[in-house]
Amino acid sequence: MVSVPWHSRVRHYEAELRSCRAAVASVDFGDYHPLKPITVLDSRSRRGGRKGSTSSSSSSSSSVAPDPLSSLLEGTDPLSLFAAAAEAAELGRRRREREEEVGLDFEPWAAKRGEILARFTTTEKLSINLFMGSDKSKASSPSSAVSEKVRTRLEELDDLEEGSQREMMNLSQQDYVNRIEDLNQSLKEAWSSDQKVKALKIVIQCSKLLSDTSVIQFYPSKFVLITDILDTFGQLVYDRIWSMCSDPHSLPDTFSAEDVNDTAKETCLNWFFKIASIRELIPRLYVEAAILKCNRFLNNSGIQETVPRLTAMVRGIGDPLVAVYARAYLCRVGMEVTPHLKDSLNKNFFDLLASFRQIHGDAVQNQLVLQRVEVPVYLTLYSPAIHWILQCVAYRASDDYITCAEIWVEFTCRHFTKREVNTVLADIIKHMTPDRAFEDAYTELHSVMMKILTYFHNFSVLFSMEKFLPFLDMFQKDSVRVEVCKSIMEVFIKHQQESTRDPVILNALLHVCKTMHDSVNALTVEDEKRSVSLLINGFIRMVSFGRDFEQQLSFCVEARATFCNLEPVIIQLIHTVNQLAIETRRVMGGSHSRKTAAFVRACAAYCFITIPSISNIFSRLHLYLLSGKVALANQCLSQADAFMKAAVSVLPEVPRTIVVEGKQRSSESFLLEFISSFLSTLLVVPDHPEQGVLYLVRGLLNMVQDYTWEDSSDAKVRVYISALPLLAAMSQESYLYTILNVDSNETLYGGDPKFVAEISRLCETLIGQVLDHLKTLGREEVMHRQGSLAFSLFSCLLAHADLRNNKLNQLAVNLWNLSHKNGQCDTRISVRTLEHIKSQAQHSELSHLSDMLLRLSLQSRA
Amino acid sequence: MSAVLDLKLKRANKVYHEGEVLAGVVVITGKEAIQHQGISLTMEGFVNLQLSSKSVGVFEAFYNSVKPIQLINSNIEVAKPGKVPGGKTEIPFEFPLQVKGNKVLYETYHGVFVNIQYTLRCDMRRPLLAKDLSKTCEFMLHCQPQKSKVQPSPVDFIITPETLQNVRERSVLPKFLIRGHLDATNCVITQPLTGELVVESSEVAIKSIELQLVRVETCGCAEGYARDATEIQNIQIAEGDVSHGLPIPIYMVFPRLFTCATLETTNFKVEFEVNVVIVFHDDHLITENFPLKLCRV
């Protein structure tokens, strides 16, 4: 082994830096620079598109180059097209199966009746002011006008019946109900005694009461009571005509108009003619609706034609409350006979919407003022009718329900607040939960979710919706659930502007992320893992507890436990914790208190115990190094030492080949890169007091020596060469860089000659190793490697060795010659090197280089 | 009550056309056998013209009332004199509805000044000391359907203060714009009058919108004539201040008996009109008149 004593060149880092600093050159707009956005000059197409334009024909536009991947995916892919077609066919089949009659699943009117009566008769105002007791003298003056009106109406009714002149004023609710029941009875009596005209008159007079909106709070109940009478009437007429057809034998339930005899038809027609001539709109409408069913006797399409006509007729009712109840009645009788006639039901609903502005009209407002009814109270009067109409519209629409809900939710999101959206969600849950209906509607439910996410970017609002998480729980098929979670996270990452510590958001999103994480298993493809990890990382990055660092750390502890299967997430967590430690350092201005020192040590401990769980060896190495640096920056010397030691001890495990982006590649370049980085860190790592001098450097070099490098590789020697600059830097009196509040070897040894000698010995050994290796490369086929290595060592010596030393000087010259011997050198580099030496030689302390320069000759290629 | 005579027509709606046969039964019910001197049926049709009180002055000098115009009068024998056994006896009959000469059978119509009525009477002549029995029933006559196709001639209308006639002071009128259309003014009598009406705007609240069906009856002769318009029925199509801009359906069924195909003869005329009546909240009302031509197809 050749032995050359080492002498490091003395460096003046600052002066060198000044002389090396490149002049700043600004880039003009027109100049080329790789980092400038792509500029597309698109003058040709512009010219074509703007024929006749007088402006200059060429213009430039900045555009992002099209992504070939996304353009491939334009349009719907064939698989989902098939799926959609199959779904549509299934839907059609189910629809055809639907029955023509209302089933038991339809909440009947009878069930609502009592509810409405109970709700709209117990109103205080009504019971006290209008129908209290029978004491006439107590009727107060403002309400007496109203009572008067009611009285006259009811007296009118009385007139229809002989000898039953009862005082109708100041009826209690119960009296009112009884009175209507009396009328119902007298209707039946009139009918049974063949006084058909009287019966009709009773019904007309009763229906007229519905055009009267005095005592407006009572209107819904009045509607209930009076429609009872209408129902009775409708049934009587129907039964009568039906009985006329029962000779010789009674009609089947599914009879058609052809089965009805002429007499019955004539009677029926007569009823319709009579009703058609009722003067007032509201009684005419109600009474015709009451006998709607009788259309069956006349012709088979009568009902289908009548319902739309009556629906349109309601438009003539100016009072919106009266109109909405008329619609409710129409829907009710319509549902009884033709539940499948959805068009009219829908029409009723849309007309109802159109007439809503009437509520703000003078007519209604004046009335409310007069009756001293507040608008909110007034609006509640609509609810039974609207509820009923909607129930009819929604009936047997469950296949369509979710499609509608999908639209509704967008409307709600756009125009209302979270409260209303929450209501819609609650309704969706209510509809989709029975029979696990949600299983067939994942696409729609997902779309609902997307719509909510489109309009609600504030996640604290989103998660404060009571029904949001229960809604999320409806996605029970794993694949769908994960997709939905991904959607949520994508929106979060895209729109969350500020980091958050909101416990609601954190809890919910942890849940969401956990769902994604838990979906990962042995069969999951890498791509999927990567995308899930990316999303979870995005979440972790947005979590910040501000100055509450400990909370942040415990969040990371929790997250590590939750996301243990996803390596990129674990890596992110380590970065987060390191960042946390650095942040702590920044806050403390570089000097820790006892408490913060303990905290950063905890951070280091977190990293130290987390890193080994990572399987990717280079990730592990880099994290050890990074965490070591962070520990060092935080003055955690023993921790830093442990990290470095761990890194060194992991080195032998690095395999010769690793998989990079699915391909087997030699790990050598990665390893060299890491070692270089590691070496540069070692400059500031102080030696452990209990270990020998340059303990880590030696350790590293030993590892490098023992590592099984590839046979035909110079990597080991290259490491040796790259260690020389470190050793040279270590032997300087003041180091190139240091860490605040950390004493490096510079201070520990203070340029102790023994220390310097130790370094020199090490260098000597290394150079010896390199030279030995160079000797083995004498053969023709590896000559280029010899040249290149020799040149590397030459460059290293030139930069870091004190070339005033003859031996070193001679070695350098020999290396130059060796590298040029085979003509393997790049002449341009050689020339530039010579120029560099020439410029260096002008510095007084490097004047010896000019002598050396004379000995370095450029060899023309043989 | 020993014997009851009844007359039943086969057709439930009792509607017949010229040339058809009225079929039915004479029903005789009695506890004991009934002796009679023949049972006969008489078919009669008359136009009764009456003069309205306001025009009566002109005619008073000449007539108290216009003589009825006989359209048909025919007689058939159902049973020769004899005996009807006790219990219920039904005697079926067929009576052709045919006019002699070139008389025209007008449609049944019940009006105020013009009445066109057809009856079928059954008489049972009885021997001395027993009252003759008689039973009359009305039947409807519908004229033969019109052969040519009906041109509906729809009409669009716009009602604004400017379109009104008979206004004394146009300047005090509130502003309003009512638009609409009738699907037909040549109407088929068995089908409803239809159309739409939109209150586009109105300064004053609307109280009611109504369709008034009016008959215009003209009675006359060489000496002069009387023309009277009276209401047949009034159908409310809107109550209260309706939504502006929302079309309200116009829909009215032509009542039976009180309407007939528009009729014009040398002696009298029966015509129909419809008024669209808009009543404002202050009880002011505006009317738009549309003459109708009713026909049967």
Side-chain angles (χ1 to χ4, degrees):
Chain A
M1 187 168 127
V2 194
S3 160
V4 182
W6 175 265
H7 297 281
S8 295
R9 181 160 74 90
V10 177
R11 305 290 294 269
H12 305 283
Y13 291 125
E14 284 186 22
E16 283 178 38
L17 182 67
R18 271 198 303 277
S19 66
C20 292
R21 197 166 276 158
V24 177
S26 64
V27 181
D28 283 343
F29 181 76
D31 291 350
Y32 169 78
H33 191 279
L35 298 180
K36 268 176 67 178
I38 301 167
T39 299
V40 180
L41 279 172
D42 190 13
S43 52
R44 185 180 50 84
S45 63
R46 286 298 172 100
R47 197 175 294 148
R50 290 202 305 200
K51 239 175 227 163
S53 159
T54 50
S55 65
S56 102
S57 57
S58 125
S59 64
S60 69
S61 67
S62 202
S63 74
V64 179
D67 177 358
L69 286 177
S70 61
S71 61
L72 270 179
L73 288 172
E74 264 170 36
T76 321
D77 69 302
L79 285 179
S80 35
L81 276 178
F82 287 140
E87 233 165 72
E90 166 71 5
L91 217 63
R93 191 179 58 76
R94 260 192 258 159
R95 244 177 229 147
R96 278 192 295 281
E97 278 171 11
R98 216 180 276 166
E99 289 169 46
E100 294 273 295
E101 275 176 35
V102 187
L104 292 172
D105 49 345
F106 186 77
E107 191 182 0
W109 173 252
K112 308 266 180 202
R113 210 186 149 272
E115 197 183 299
I116 298 171
L117 283 175
R119 182 168 162 203
F120 294 97
T121 54
T122 53
T123 318
E124 272 179 53
K125 259 188 197 165
L126 182 76
S127 57
I128 294 170
N129 292 343
L130 299 163
F131 295 104
M132 189 187 65
S134 57
D135 192 351
K136 271 185 270 179
S137 61
K138 277 193 180 168
S140 57
S141 54
S143 63
S144 69
V146 178
S147 313
E148 202 66 41
K149 217 169 175 184
V150 171
R151 189 179 58 170
T152 46
R153 288 284 189 197
L154 293 173
E155 274 172 358
E156 248 171 67
L157 280 171
D158 269 350
D159 291 339
L160 293 165
E161 293 168 47
E162 292 81 12
S164 62
Q165 289 283 339
R166 251 210 298 159
E167 179 56 68
M168 301 294 285
M169 205 170 124
N170 289 326
L171 287 172
S172 71
Q173 298 147 47
Q174 194 50 50
D175 287 346
Y176 194 98
V177 175
N178 292 345
R179 195 73 196 90
I180 298 284
E181 183 46 37
D182 288 350
L183 280 169
N184 211 349
Q185 281 308 317
S186 41
L187 167 68
K188 285 178 190 164
E189 279 162 25
W191 187 269
S192 58
S193 59
D194 226 23
Q195 294 174 275
K196 303 277 171 10
V197 176
K198 184 180 165 188
L200 181 61
K201 271 188 181 168
I202 292 177
V203 172
I204 292 173
Q205 292 305 314
C206 287
S207 320
K208 259 191 203 171
L209 291 179
L210 287 174
S211 58
D212 172 20
T213 53
S214 52
V215 202
I216 204 156
Q217 310 93 306
F218 187 62
Y219 193 86
S221 293
K222 183 158 81 177
F223 170 81
V224 168
L225 295 170
I226 287 168
T227 51
D228 280 354
I229 293 185
L230 285 162
D231 289 348
T232 307
F233 176 72
Q235 197 56 45
L236 286 172
V237 174
Y238 185 86
D239 289 349
R240 163 95 182 107
I241 299 170
W242 199 76
S243 70
M244 289 172 83
C245 307
S246 57
D247 191 32
H249 35 249
S250 57
L251 284 174
D253 278 342
T254 55
F255 72 90
S256 65
E258 291 77 43
D259 305 328
V260 178
N261 66 48
D262 285 350
T263 322
K265 267 191 182 141
E266 187 59 25
T267 312
C268 189
L269 204 58
N270 242 324
W271 278 112
F272 281 109
F273 270 108
K274 272 202 186 94
I275 290 163
S277 66
I278 296 174
R279 201 196 92 78
E280 285 178 70
L281 172 66
I282 290 165
R284 191 168 71 249
L285 177 70
Y286 270 101
V287 179
E288 184 167 359
I291 64 160
L292 179 70
K293 208 170 152 191
C294 294
N295 274 291
R296 283 182 74 189
F297 295 113
L298 292 179
N299 59 64
N300 297 329
S301 60
I303 291 174
Q304 282 87 324
E305 286 158 15
T306 308
V307 176
R309 178 167 60 76
L310 294 180
T311 301
M313 205 163 141
V314 182
R315 288 182 170 185
I317 302 177
D319 188 307
L321 186 68
V322 176
V324 75
Y325 276 93
R327 292 190 189 287
Y329 187 65
L330 261 185
C331 288
R332 198 177 116 203
V333 293
M335 277 306 277
E336 276 167 25
V337 287
T338 61
H340 56 281
L341 209 65
K342 288 282 179 201
D343 286 351
S344 286
L345 295 172
N346 292 341
K347 183 96 172 51
N348 265 309
F349 181 65
F350 289 121
D351 273 2
L352 159 70
L353 293 182
S355 67
F356 257 139
R357 59 181 164 191
Q358 292 280 92
I359 291 171
H360 304 286
D362 291 344
V364 171
Q365 295 298 326
N366 291 343
Q367 197 180 20
L368 294 186
V369 170
L370 212 66
Q371 295 199 34
R372 296 180 188 170
V373 175
E374 300 283 325
V375 172
V377 174
Y378 173 69
L379 288 178
T380 60
L381 302 178
Y382 284 78
S383 72
I386 294 176
H387 189 258
W388 179 261
I389 292 172
L390 287 177
Q391 184 189 328
C392 294
V393 170
Y395 177 66
R396 287 274 166 90
S398 66
D399 281 342
D400 299 316
Y401 171 79
I402 189 63
T403 325
C404 299
E406 195 186 325
I407 308 301
W408 265 105
V409 83
E410 179 158 17
F411 170 75
T412 321
C413 287
R414 188 182 291 197
H415 299 290
F416 296 91
T417 63
K418 65 163 188 173
R419 195 172 140 254
E420 289 76 15
V421 176
N422 191 50
T423 311
V424 173
L425 285 182
D427 194 63
I428 293 177
I429 293 169
K430 189 180 145 204
H431 272 86
M432 302 309 286
T433 309
D435 304 326
R436 298 177 69 82
F438 51 78
E439 284 180 342
D440 298 327
Y442 283 136
T443 327
E444 291 84 357
L445 291 173
H446 193 171
S447 154
V448 167
M449 179 63 92
M450 289 314 291
K451 279 172 181 152
I452 294 172
L453 291 173
T454 310
Y455 290 97
F456 287 82
H457 295 151
N458 186 336
F459 276 69
S460 60
V461 171
L462 198 60
F463 287 121
S464 63
M465 277 183 221
E466 204 180 316
K467 295 290 177 190
F468 186 81
L469 288 179
F471 178 71
L472 188 59
D473 279 340
M474 286 215 289
F475 297 94
Q476 295 193 354
K477 193 174 156 196
D478 280 343
S479 58
V480 183
R481 195 176 169 80
V482 171
E483 280 312 308
V484 172
C485 288
K486 277 183 175 177
S487 307
I488 296 175
M489 288 317 297
E490 271 160 19
V491 173
F492 177 78
I493 290 166
K494 193 171 166 198
H495 293 287
Q496 185 74 19
Q497 301 288 338
E498 288 167 6
S499 48
T500 180
R501 57 181 299 169
D502 182 335
V504 178
I505 296 183
L506 294 190
N507 264 325
L509 287 184
L510 260 178
H511 173 75
V512 167
C513 287
K514 186 169 163 37
T515 307
M516 291 197 292
H517 169 266
D518 292 353
S519 74
V520 172
N521 56 33
L523 295 174
T524 311
V525 291
E526 281 302 318
D527 246 13
E528 172 73 8
K529 280 193 205 167
R530 197 166 25 234
S531 74
V532 167
S533 304
L534 216 62
L535 292 172
I536 298 179
N537 284 350
F539 163 57
I540 291 172
R541 274 197 288 267
M542 288 318 275
V543 176
S544 168
F545 291 87
R547 287 290 180 93
D548 193 347
F549 292 148
E550 290 184 20
Q551 180 90 41
Q552 183 97 36
L553 183 61
S554 59
F555 169 79
C556 289
V557 171
E558 192 188 341
R560 181 177 59 190
T562 314
F563 306 121
C564 57
N565 290 329
L566 288 171
E567 221 166 276
V569 179
I570 299 296
I571 292 172
Q572 173 64 43
L573 284 170
I574 294 170
H575 283 304
T576 305
V577 171
N578 277 329
Q579 203 183 355
L580 192 60
I582 291 297
E583 188 63 16
T584 313
R585 179 181 179 274
R586 196 183 60 79
V587 169
M588 298 306 289
S591 322
H592 285 293
S593 67
R594 254 182 66 189
K595 204 176 156 198
T596 59
F599 177 73
V600 293
R601 279 199 291 275
C603 290
Y606 178 97
C607 296
F608 193 75
I609 58 166
T610 309
I611 293 170
S613 67
I614 294 164
S615 66
N616 183 313
I617 189 136
F618 280 103
S619 299
R620 230 186 307 162
L621 283 171
H622 285 290
L623 285 172
Y624 273 133
L625 179 57
L626 178 75
S627 305
K629 286 180 192 172
V630 170
L632 208 56
N634 281 304
Q635 299 125 47
C636 306
L637 296 182
S638 59
Q639 279 79 7
D641 212 50
F643 280 116
M644 298 301 173
K645 236 172 6 189
V648 171
S649 63
V650 164
L651 270 181
E653 295 172 25
V654 175
R656 293 245 293 264
T657 58
I658 52 168
V659 178
V660 180
E661 285 163 1
K663 285 185 195 142
Q664 285 285 337
R665 279 180 60 181
S666 162
S667 63
E668 199 179 278
S669 57
F670 296 98
L671 192 55
L672 285 180
E673 193 187 332
F674 172 73
I675 292 174
S676 300
S677 173
F678 192 81
L679 285 171
S680 65
T681 309
L682 285 183
L683 178 64
V684 288
V685 182
D687 279 344
H688 196 284
E690 288 165 18
Q691 310 282 353
V693 176
L694 299 179
Y695 154 71
L696 279 171
V697 181
R698 282 170 196 278
L700 176 72
L701 291 174
N702 286 339
M703 284 299 179
V704 169
Q705 192 175 11
D706 296 342
Y707 186 77
T708 42
W709 298 94
E710 278 175 63
D711 294 336
S712 57
S713 155
D714 306 321
K716 182 162 75 175
V717 181
R718 287 198 181 276
V719 173
Y720 291 159
I721 295 174
S722 58
L724 288 173
L726 167 72
L727 293 167
M730 278 181 155
S731 60
Q732 303 298 321
E733 254 178 61
S734 94
Y735 281 4
L736 177 56
Y737 42 87
T738 51
I739 291 174
L740 185 68
N741 295 336
V742 174
D743 293 334
S744 47
N745 287 342
E746 160 198 45
T747 325
L748 289 184
Y749 300 113
D752 186 344
K754 269 198 265 175
F755 176 63
V756 177
E758 188 69 30
I759 289 175
S760 295
R761 266 222 325 274
L762 204 53
C763 290
E764 226 168 280
T765 318
L766 290 175
I767 291 172
Q769 290 279 328
V770 176
L771 293 178
D772 284 352
H773 185 73
L774 279 175
K775 273 184 204 155
T776 65
L777 296 176
R779 282 165 296 125
E780 182 82 38
E781 65 273 21
V782 289
M783 211 97 85
H784 63 283
R785 281 164 56 195
Q786 190 188 45
S788 138
L789 266 181
F791 195 78
S792 292
L793 188 57
F794 169 77
S795 305
C796 182
L797 291 180
L798 184 65
H800 301 287
D802 187 355
L803 293 180
R804 284 174 301 193
N805 177 289
N806 284 340
K807 275 199 173 172
L808 281 172
N809 196 310
Q810 184 58 47
L811 177 63
V813 173
N814 289 347
L815 283 169
W816 172 272
N817 290 336
L818 181 64
S819 65
H820 285 78
K821 186 177 76 182
N822 308 314
Q824 300 284 352
C825 253
D826 185 338
T827 322
R828 277 179 304 174
I829 294 176
S830 303
V831 171
R832 267 164 56 190
T833 311
L834 288 177
E835 277 166 9
H836 171 73
I837 298 172
K838 212 182 276 174
S839 73
Q840 292 279 300
Q842 284 167 4
H843 297 282
S844 55
E845 74 272 21
L846 294 172
S847 54
H848 57 278
L849 287 181
S850 50
D851 297 338
M852 190 177 86
L853 197 57
L854 298 173
R855 299 164 65 196
L856 303 179
S857 57
L858 259 180
Q859 211 164 6
S860 58
R861 204 163 291 184
Chain B
M1 196 55 92
S2 57
V4 179
L5 185 67
D6 201 6
L7 196 53
K8 276 186 184 161
L9 286 172
K10 233 182 196 169
R11 278 190 197 168
N13 61 6
K14 300 179 183 171
V15 173
Y16 295 89
H17 299 88
E18 190 181 341
E20 286 182 335
V21 171
L22 274 77
V25 284
V26 175
V27 185
I28 304 145
T29 7
K31 277 183 187 147
E32 295 149 19
I34 304 157
Q35 185 82 38
H36 66 88
Q37 293 176 323
I39 302 170
S40 65
L41 285 170
T42 310
M43 188 188 285
E44 280 181 310
F46 285 101
V47 179
N48 282 298
L49 300 178
Q50 224 177 0
L51 298 175
S52 69
S53 54
K54 71 172 180 185
S55 45
V56 89
V58 183
F59 289 88
E60 226 172 10
F62 306 98
Y63 306 97
N64 245 340
S65 95
V66 185
K67 262 185 199 153
I69 305 163
Q70 193 178 61
L71 299 171
I72 191 168
N73 188 0
S74 51
N75 193 288
I76 54 165
E77 191 173 57
V78 176
K80 294 214 153 50
K83 226 176 186 181
V84 180
K88 188 176 173 185
T89 309
E90 291 192 351
I91 308 168
F93 64 85
E94 286 194 343
F95 199 159
L97 175 50
Q98 248 150 6
V99 273
K100 292 163 199 145
N102 54 359
K103 284 235 170 105
V104 185
L105 291 181
Y106 306 127
E107 279 203 3
T108 299
Y109 167 72
H110 292 202
V112 179
F113 304 107
V114 178
N115 258 295
I116 304 170
Q117 201 170 14
Y118 295 87
T119 54
L120 184 65
R121 195 179 69 239
C122 177
D123 292 302
M124 180 194 264
R125 284 186 304 283
R126 310 238 315 239
L128 232 67
L129 296 175
K131 235 166 104 187
D132 287 355
L133 292 178
S134 179
K135 172 78 185 180
T136 308
C137 82
E138 184 179 359
F139 65 89
M140 313 314 148
L141 191 123
H142 283 177
C143 62
Q144 295 296 344
Q146 177 180 316
K147 298 248 166 43
S148 58
K149 215 170 172 217
V150 182
Q151 295 297 321
S153 29
V155 59
D156 289 332
F157 60 88
I158 290 177
I159 312 173
T160 65
E162 289 71 35
T163 64
L164 298 181
Q165 296 162 348
N166 304 328
V167 183
R168 254 166 286 155
E169 257 193 286
R170 211 172 284 272
S171 58
V172 298
L173 283 175
K175 285 207 171 62
F176 57 84
L177 170 60
I178 291 155
R179 210 188 282 279
H181 68 267
L182 293 178
D183 294 330
T185 50
N186 283 343
C187 303
V188 177
I189 197 165
T190 50
Q191 283 162 21
L193 173 77
T194 56
E196 263 184 353
L197 179 145
V198 187
V199 180
E200 299 283 7
S201 63
S202 173
E203 275 184 351
V204 183
I206 287 170
K207 193 180 187 182
S208 178
I209 301 176
E210 289 152 22
L211 300 175
Q212 189 182 33
L213 182 63
V214 171
R215 54 170 95 82
V216 182
E217 294 162 320
T218 312
C219 306
C221 53
E223 290 79 13
Y225 67 93
R227 189 173 189 271
D228 292 283
T230 48
E231 176 185 300
I232 302 174
Q233 68 175 13
N234 189 324
I235 295 292
Q236 190 188 33
I237 59 165
E239 160 152 339
D241 199 15
V242 288
S243 274
H244 293 181
L246 211 59
I248 296 163
I250 289 175
Y251 183 91
M252 181 169 65
V253 175
F254 293 112
R256 296 190 293 190
L257 291 179
F258 305 110
T259 52
C260 63
T262 301
L263 189 58
E264 203 167 328
T265 72
T266 45
N267 295 336
F268 65 94
K269 279 200 273 190
V270 180
E271 294 158 304
F272 300 93
E273 291 173 355
V274 68
N275 290 325
V276 174
V277 185
I278 291 139
V279 188
F280 288 108
H281 207 258
D282 49 13
D283 281 332
H284 278 100
L285 93 182
I286 50 176
T287 300
E288 188 81 6
N289 179 270
F290 301 94
L292 302 177
K293 189 168 187 309
L294 304 188
C295 56
R296 211 171 273 284
V297 290

